[in-house]
Amino acid sequence: LAQWMYNNAELMEGFDRKAWVCVSENFNIVETTKNIVKEISTNTQDLDSFNSIQDALKKGLSKTKFFIVLDDVWSNDHHQWKDFLAPFQYGDKGSTILLTTRKEDVGSVVQTNYHPHYLIPLSEHYCWSVFAANASFPESNGSPTLEEIGKKIAKKCNGLPLAAETLGCLCRRHDAEEWEKILRSDIWGFSTNDSKIVPALLISYFHLPAHLKR
């Protein structure tokens, strides 16, 4: 959804600057600030200290309307965010920071003017569509046997697009026997080289409270 907004020319028409930065689990304010500067400015020389990097960001955003995406944020360290966000106050009215996160408390720490949008799981129909597209399954003339197995796999995804996408890719160019194996397999048995799911789940798992990890 964030990518769709960021790449939508009509939505971005009123913005002077835009940048997309993946923050991920280890929030490094120096590196994150530098990455934003690289997105909005061609002059990235002499960025050898946090103050110089922040000053460059302040100049790049000053009196401009910007749209900044901070993707996959985990840190809820108020003091880090306070230092990081200092240059953003110099942008014009209507400037926007779009933050994606799996932790509910992160957004409220980062921004006072916070409007969360909660993503709901996909319906079974859409989950199957994502799976089928990634499995290169021709819905119009595909095998009824494969479709039956595929819909069972898609149902096990519980509406999670990442799961449907990854399992669909695993099923690409395989026969019904292989699809059956995937249907019956344990997700933790997948190679992390072939699956985005396991690493993605592990990050969430590490952030669970102790009583839920069991």
Side-chain angles (χ1 to χ4, degrees):
L1 179 59
Q3 287 178 339
W4 179 84
M5 293 178 66
Y6 187 79
N7 294 318
N8 188 297
E10 188 176 345
L11 282 176
M12 294 296 108
E13 195 172 327
F15 292 100
D16 307 305
R17 301 273 191 278
K18 70 173 188 172
W20 179 294
V21 175
C22 183
V23 179
S24 199
E25 192 177 14
N26 298 314
F27 177 40
N28 184 312
I29 60 175
V30 176
E31 284 302 313
T32 304
T33 306
K34 185 182 290 188
N35 288 336
I36 296 174
V37 172
K38 288 177 181 177
E39 289 274 320
I40 65 170
S41 174
T42 54
N43 183 17
T44 56
Q45 295 180 341
D46 302 321
L47 301 181
D48 52 1
S49 69
F50 184 51
N51 285 339
S52 64
I53 297 169
Q54 279 213 312
D55 188 55
L57 182 59
K58 175 183 171 182
K59 289 177 181 176
L61 298 179
S62 183
K63 296 180 181 178
T64 67
K65 186 178 176 183
F66 60 79
F67 185 89
I68 308 290
V69 178
L70 302 176
D71 186 33
D72 196 22
V73 178
W74 289 88
S75 173
N76 56 5
D77 186 324
H78 174 74
H79 297 292
Q80 272 198 317
W81 281 109
K82 185 178 179 182
D83 292 340
F84 171 75
L85 291 171
F88 293 89
Q89 61 184 301
Y90 296 95
D92 274 356
K93 185 178 180 181
S95 293
T96 300
I97 296 176
L98 175 62
L99 180 149
T100 72
T101 181
R102 293 179 229 176
K103 295 181 70 178
E104 190 171 357
D105 63 334
V106 168
S108 57
V109 170
V110 176
Q111 293 175 280
T112 51
N113 185 22
Y114 176 54
H115 304 288
H117 177 75
Y118 298 96
L119 295 182
I120 61 173
L122 299 178
S123 68
E124 276 190 33
H125 169 73
Y126 279 111
C127 205
W128 159 241
S129 295
V130 172
F131 173 89
N134 284 277
S136 298
F137 180 82
E139 294 184 62
S140 57
N141 60 355
S143 160
T145 304
L146 282 180
E147 182 172 349
E148 183 182 353
I149 302 169
K151 285 186 174 179
K152 289 178 181 177
I153 296 174
K155 189 173 182 178
K156 290 181 74 173
C157 295
N158 290 322
L160 300 177
L162 176 62
E165 176 188 343
T166 304
L167 293 174
C169 289
L170 286 174
C171 287
R172 187 175 295 176
R173 293 185 297 275
H174 286 307
D175 57 21
E177 186 178 347
E178 289 296 318
W179 282 36
E180 277 284 359
K181 287 180 182 178
I182 290 172
L183 174 62
R184 295 193 304 268
S185 66
D186 184 337
I187 193 172
W188 299 103
F190 295 151
S191 164
T192 54
N193 294 326
D194 298 329
S195 171
K196 298 176 185 176
I197 302 176
V198 176
L201 286 179
L202 281 174
I203 298 175
S204 293
Y205 170 78
F206 291 141
H207 284 267
L208 287 174
H211 71 281
L212 289 179
K213 283 187 176 180
R214 294 184 64 185

